[in-house]
Amino acid sequence: MEVTASSRHYVDRLFDPDPQKVLLGVIDMKNAVIGNNKQKANLIVLGAVPRLLYLLQQDSSGAELRTECAVVLGSLAMGTENNVKSLVDCHIIPALLQGLLSQDLKFIEACLRCLRTVFISTVTPVQLLYTDAAVIPHLMSLLSRSRRTQEYICQIFSHCCKTPDHQMILYNHGAIQNIAHLLISFSYKVQMQALKCFSVLAYENPQVSMTLVNVLVDGELLSQVFVRMMQRDKPIEMQLTAAKCLTYMCRAGAIRTDDNCIVLKTLPCLVRMCSKERLLEERVDGAETLAYLIEPDVELQRIASITDHLIAMLADYFKYPSSVSAITDIKRLDHDLKHAHELRQAAFKLYASLGANDEDIRKKIIETENMMDRIVSGLSESSIKVRLAAVRCLHSLSRSVQQLRTSFQDHAVWKPLMKLLQNAPEEVLVMASSTLCNLLLEFSPSKEPILESGAIDLLCSLTQSESPALRVNGIWALMNMAFQAEQKIKMDILRALSTEQLFRLLSDPDVNVLMKTLGLLRNLLSTRPHIDQIMSSHGKQIMQAVTLILEGEHNIEVKEQTLCILANIADGTTAKDLIMINDDILQKIKYYMGHSNVKLQLAATFCISNLIWNEEEGSQERQDRLREMGFVDILHKLTQSADPSLCDRAKTAMQQYLA
């Protein structure tokens, strides 16, 4: 109560009829709130904000009073998130933006500084900067007024540019031309904020990045300015942000991955950021940016993996901060203990990128001390970001046949993976189910225990997901599971999936889902006893589905896969009859034998070949029936095909008639 009472007289003075006393009251208030969060909260509760905003907006207040009001509001915004929320709710942003129309530079700077403080808070909706279309061009025009306006405006832009739309608004209002020359400002703060602007403008934006490549700053190419900013004698923040700019331009396709500025400058600079000497946030930023840079390019992955012992250097990310840590600053230690999980996340991400393509790099990563144990514990960490990064890392390493057979088995990674799949956000589920697909390949020893732990039901439930990526992974994993599997597993899959769901997936709008479902069907229908058994129980529906797909508007791959399924059915002992009694299907096979696409001709010819094979019961009747339908004439024509495989397959089929 006392504090509130002592705060009240500050607010009361704002209502004094004497403008001079009001000014002194605001100045006293400014001195009272600096660094005092409790005092800030009290003044907000007591209603100081609406009054300060009122005074700020009155021309009669005079320049000095208006400026001091903006300074106090800026100080209140420096407090807690709740303070910022209260200010935004009082419509501080439109009031400050209105203030920018003033002619008084000191007042403009105070308004910009306060806006900057409000916008860098995570609770402020950035959209408020774009509500009035006149604001961005006006801010651009204020860039030339002073170093302070340059610093604050660039900082506002870099914090409020969150979407491709925001990037294009700034780009279309001349952000590049207006900000480029600030990179060679005499003020370090201005240079840094301009640099940050370019990094957010270029991120995943080909149009901006392509423009940046050709920009000259004082006669020098922009990319060369960035290279100069990455020199070792420059402040770390500058090196790192310049490296981000070049990374984003490279990923957006504006700079080649083999360009010297990437290979000899950006990549080594980012590796330097991962060293023990750097602060925690620099190491996190460096590793995450490097992971993004090298993600799609195997050559950069190879170069990074042999730069400065990077793979071993990343192992330190898991040991930090250790009991013998060199941190003497208690505040720093406390901060780092709270954020150590970010290091683990960054290391997993970078390992995932490093190991994306190259078998030798994967081997090196897995041989790094306790690596598999670290991934296994990462999969069950409380931080969702760490879990996602750990599963990305595991997915990357699971592309290795060698590792699936050894390390993955030794550490039973399938256990935490299955647990993760029970309930996780979609992003994690997509990665985890992709990894599971690899663990279910036929040469992986994890396949058996995964099956025993109830994977079939889990995967069948994924195929019913709203998300196409999850449907694809669920069906893909089942397809891998069914490959060369014993009859019992195949029947379990069919039972758990249900024929209704199987046929729903065969009419899925997503072509990847359709392809994997056909792959599953093809794997289920392999080896004769299995083909006959499945076709005796589900033959009618399967033939219906095949007919629908061959009649539908589907691409060549889908139709080829469907014809391969028919060829498998034609290889069954009793299943064959389902094709032979189906005139419609036989006419379709005939049509595809004469198709313009060789792949489809091959698959269709294979069907016929299986139907007329000599050594099998009833082959004579089938041969006669198909001869009557004109198949022999087509085969004869195909023996003259320019395609050697098609020609051979047709000749092999013809020989059945001659034998």
Side-chain angles (χ1 to χ4, degrees):
M1 280 311 294
E2 276 173 38
V3 186
T4 319
S6 70
S7 304
R8 186 172 291 286
H9 80 277
Y10 288 114
V11 181
D12 292 343
R13 289 167 71 188
L14 298 180
F15 292 90
D16 198 293
D18 179 352
Q20 199 49 37
K21 284 187 178 163
V22 175
L23 175 62
L24 291 172
V26 173
I27 292 170
D28 283 348
M29 186 184 278
K30 172 178 77 177
N31 296 329
V33 296
I34 289 173
N36 186 338
N37 273 349
K38 196 154 198 178
Q39 186 68 280
K40 289 175 188 181
N42 283 328
L43 290 170
I44 289 172
V45 169
L46 291 169
V49 177
R51 181 64 181 168
L52 287 166
L53 284 172
Y54 172 79
L55 294 169
L56 177 124
Q57 291 177 87
Q58 298 307 305
D59 287 333
S60 58
S61 293
E64 194 182 354
L65 175 56
R66 294 173 78 192
T67 304
E68 291 294 349
C69 286
V71 173
V72 175
L73 288 162
S75 194
L76 294 177
M78 291 269 192
T80 62
E81 286 187 345
N82 281 338
N83 293 4
V84 180
K85 267 203 182 88
S86 308
L87 293 171
V88 173
D89 292 343
C90 289
H91 306 295
I92 187 172
I93 291 175
L96 291 168
L97 290 172
Q98 194 60 37
L100 298 179
L101 298 171
S102 156
Q103 292 309 304
D104 187 284
L105 182 58
K106 271 201 127 147
F107 177 55
I108 290 173
E109 288 175 351
C111 287
L112 282 171
R113 185 162 179 223
C114 185
L115 277 167
R116 180 271 321 256
T117 308
V118 172
F119 273 122
I120 62 178
S121 164
T122 49
V123 298
T124 308
V126 294
Q127 208 42 48
L128 293 171
L129 187 68
Y130 304 96
T131 318
D132 178 349
V135 169
I136 301 293
H138 185 60
L139 287 171
M140 293 290 177
S141 72
L142 291 175
L143 275 168
S144 54
R145 292 293 298 273
S146 72
R147 282 188 200 169
R148 285 204 179 106
T149 64
Q150 292 168 348
E151 180 195 335
Y152 302 148
I153 290 170
C154 285
Q155 202 172 353
I156 290 168
F157 285 163
S158 63
H159 273 278
C160 294
C161 184
K162 302 280 188 209
T163 67
D165 285 348
H166 297 163
Q167 288 173 325
M168 291 330 289
I169 291 170
L170 293 172
Y171 174 81
N172 292 330
H173 282 105
I176 294 176
Q177 301 80 329
N178 284 305
I179 297 172
H181 67 97
L182 302 181
L183 290 169
I184 52 172
S185 162
F186 291 115
S187 155
Y188 172 73
K189 284 181 172 173
V190 172
Q191 284 185 322
M192 264 320 298
Q193 295 307 335
L195 194 54
K196 285 180 178 168
C197 259
F198 282 124
S199 77
V200 295
L201 283 169
Y203 181 66
E204 298 200 338
N205 192 315
Q207 193 177 351
V208 171
S209 295
M210 291 294 188
T211 308
L212 289 178
V213 175
N214 301 312
V215 170
L216 289 173
V217 182
D218 205 17
E220 186 180 22
L221 276 173
L222 190 61
S223 55
Q224 285 315 112
V225 177
F226 292 152
V227 166
R228 220 181 43 246
M229 290 177 152
M230 289 190 297
Q231 287 168 355
R232 288 165 188 258
D233 59 343
K234 296 284 190 284
I236 295 297
E237 181 190 27
M238 179 176 268
Q239 291 184 45
L240 192 46
T241 313
K244 278 186 185 175
C245 291
L246 288 162
T247 294
Y248 299 160
M249 288 162 72
C250 177
R251 281 298 309 264
I255 300 176
R256 286 169 54 111
T257 50
D258 57 2
D259 191 299
N260 279 349
C261 78
I262 297 296
V263 178
L264 303 179
K265 301 290 181 186
T266 309
L267 187 146
C269 170
L270 290 169
V271 174
R272 284 202 304 275
M273 297 301 145
C274 299
S275 84
K276 261 195 198 139
E277 283 67 64
R278 302 271 57 88
L279 291 173
L280 177 136
E281 42 273 38
E282 293 160 359
R283 293 168 81 185
V284 169
D285 232 357
E288 291 194 338
T289 308
L290 183 55
Y292 183 64
L293 173 66
I294 67 175
E295 191 180 14
D297 191 89
V298 65
E299 208 34 58
L300 289 179
Q301 288 157 15
R302 288 186 184 130
I303 296 166
S305 73
I306 54 169
T307 303
D308 289 355
H309 306 290
L310 177 64
I311 291 177
M313 193 164 18
L314 286 177
D316 289 332
Y317 276 44
F318 296 95
K319 304 176 197 162
Y320 182 88
S322 66
S323 50
V324 292
S325 193
I327 306 179
T328 46
D329 175 352
I330 290 296
K331 252 186 158 166
R332 185 79 208 160
L333 184 61
D334 184 51
H335 168 272
D336 284 5
L337 283 166
K338 284 196 184 91
H339 294 271
H341 65 92
E342 291 175 21
L343 274 176
R344 294 192 290 279
Q345 174 202 218
F348 282 138
K349 271 189 189 166
L350 184 43
Y351 277 137
S353 280
L354 282 164
N357 298 293
D358 187 288
E359 193 60 39
D360 294 334
I361 299 176
R362 288 189 199 123
K363 193 166 180 299
K364 267 195 209 164
I365 292 172
I366 285 183
E367 285 168 0
T368 306
E369 46 181 327
N370 307 335
M371 191 59 207
M372 291 311 284
D373 293 332
R374 285 186 176 134
I375 293 176
V376 167
S377 52
L379 291 173
S380 49
E381 270 203 40
S382 58
S383 155
I384 182 70
K385 285 184 168 173
V386 178
R387 292 207 298 276
L388 179 58
V391 83
R392 270 175 67 174
C393 181
L394 192 63
H395 179 246
S396 184
L397 299 174
S398 73
R399 295 185 177 128
S400 157
V401 176
Q402 182 58 38
Q403 301 311 333
L404 282 176
R405 284 189 170 141
T406 53
S407 315
F408 275 51
Q409 189 53 17
D410 301 342
H411 290 80
V413 292
W414 61 270
K415 279 185 186 163
L417 197 62
M418 286 292 287
K419 195 170 162 215
L420 202 56
L421 280 162
Q422 306 300 331
N423 57 345
E426 187 178 312
E427 235 188 326
V428 177
L429 278 179
V430 170
M431 265 299 147
S433 52
S434 282
T435 311
L436 198 62
C437 287
N438 291 345
L439 291 181
L440 288 167
L441 291 164
E442 91 277 8
F443 48 74
S444 160
S446 310
K447 189 171 178 173
E448 290 301 314
I450 292 174
L451 268 168
E452 286 156 20
S453 68
I456 293 180
D457 290 333
L458 181 86
L459 295 169
C460 289
S461 68
L462 285 183
T463 68
Q464 298 178 11
S465 164
E466 292 289 306
S467 147
L470 285 177
R471 292 202 301 279
V472 168
N473 287 349
I475 202 77
W476 192 344
L478 289 168
M479 177 185 101
N480 287 349
M481 201 182 263
F483 183 74
Q484 293 181 355
E486 54 198 61
Q487 179 67 359
K488 180 188 176 308
I489 293 175
K490 291 182 178 180
M491 293 316 278
D492 286 348
I493 291 174
L494 264 175
R495 231 192 325 274
L497 190 61
S498 83
T499 34
E500 295 79 51
Q501 177 60 3
L502 183 66
F503 296 117
R504 217 175 286 131
L505 292 165
L506 285 172
S507 54
D508 198 281
D510 188 296
V511 68
N512 296 320
V513 175
L514 174 56
M515 275 302 280
K516 296 293 177 234
T517 309
L518 290 169
L520 168 64
L521 201 48
R522 189 174 170 182
N523 287 349
L524 291 172
L525 293 166
S526 63
T527 73
R528 271 189 194 156
H530 299 183
I531 296 170
D532 290 334
Q533 189 183 350
I534 290 172
M535 290 307 286
S536 71
S537 51
H538 300 90
K540 195 174 161 210
Q541 294 139 303
I542 289 174
M543 293 305 281
Q544 254 174 340
V546 165
T547 311
L548 278 173
I549 292 172
L550 290 178
E551 280 173 357
E553 292 289 320
H554 293 289
N555 65 28
I556 299 292
E557 282 69 27
V558 168
K559 299 217 164 172
E560 181 192 14
Q561 188 77 295
T562 309
L563 287 166
C564 289
I565 290 171
L566 263 185
N568 282 11
I569 296 170
D571 194 36
T573 308
T574 54
K576 281 181 170 54
D577 300 340
L578 287 164
I579 298 178
M580 290 306 299
I581 59 170
N582 190 326
D583 252 13
D584 188 19
I585 282 282
L586 288 171
Q587 290 300 340
K588 286 189 170 51
I589 295 174
K590 195 171 170 183
Y591 165 75
Y592 284 109
M593 283 173 79
H595 198 276
S596 56
N597 185 287
V598 174
K599 282 182 177 176
L600 296 182
Q601 288 181 290
L602 269 168
T605 308
F606 199 36
C607 291
I608 292 303
S609 201
N610 282 347
L611 289 173
I612 60 178
W613 206 255
N614 262 327
E615 289 110 60
E616 288 158 22
E617 199 184 327
S619 61
Q620 195 55 55
E621 291 86 345
R622 287 193 293 276
Q623 286 182 8
D624 295 344
R625 169 93 203 281
L626 294 171
R627 185 196 299 270
E628 283 163 29
M629 288 183 73
F631 277 96
V632 176
D633 304 335
I634 300 175
L635 283 172
H636 189 68
K637 218 184 267 163
L638 293 180
T639 57
Q640 269 102 56
S641 164
D643 183 85
S645 316
L646 185 56
C647 174
D648 286 350
R649 193 164 283 178
K651 281 179 182 163
T652 310
M654 284 296 282
Q655 278 161 6
Q656 301 308 306
Y657 276 100
L658 306 170

